[in-house]
Amino acid sequence: IRTERRDELQKYLQANGIGTLIHYPVPPHKQEAYSEWNHLTFPVTEKIHREVLSLPLYPAMKSEKIDRVISFVNNFR
């Protein structure tokens, strides 16, 4: 998901037992593999990078757990 308050949401979910990940902790153009692009700026990519949070999701995830994640995300203030 994307939110301008990603870090706050991540802390809130963690405090409630819901693990999350920041899928790309370094924007792609700032990674070592793309060192020739490190000096460039890509505003849209950088904005997305600051906002994206990966929620728990996997094929065997039970409906109750899905509903719990949804509930906590929806109740985040």
Side-chain angles (χ1 to χ4, degrees), residues 62-74:
K62 303 272 187 214
S63 293
E64 297 80 24
K65 287 191 177 197
I66 295 169
D67 292 340
R68 184 170 186 275
V69 172
I70 292 168
S71 178
F72 275 99
V73 170
N74 285 339

Side-chain angles (χ1 to χ4, degrees), residues 13-49:
L13 293 173
Q14 184 66 39
N16 287 285
I18 299 171
T20 62
L21 292 173
I22 296 175
H23 196 73
Y24 292 103
V26 177
H29 66 285
K30 298 290 184 182
Q31 294 179 16
E32 187 178 337
Y34 300 104
S35 61
E36 69 273 13
W37 295 354
N38 287 177
H39 68 285
L40 301 174
T41 59
F42 295 93
V44 173
T45 298
E46 291 165 14
K47 180 175 174 51
I48 292 168
H49 158 74

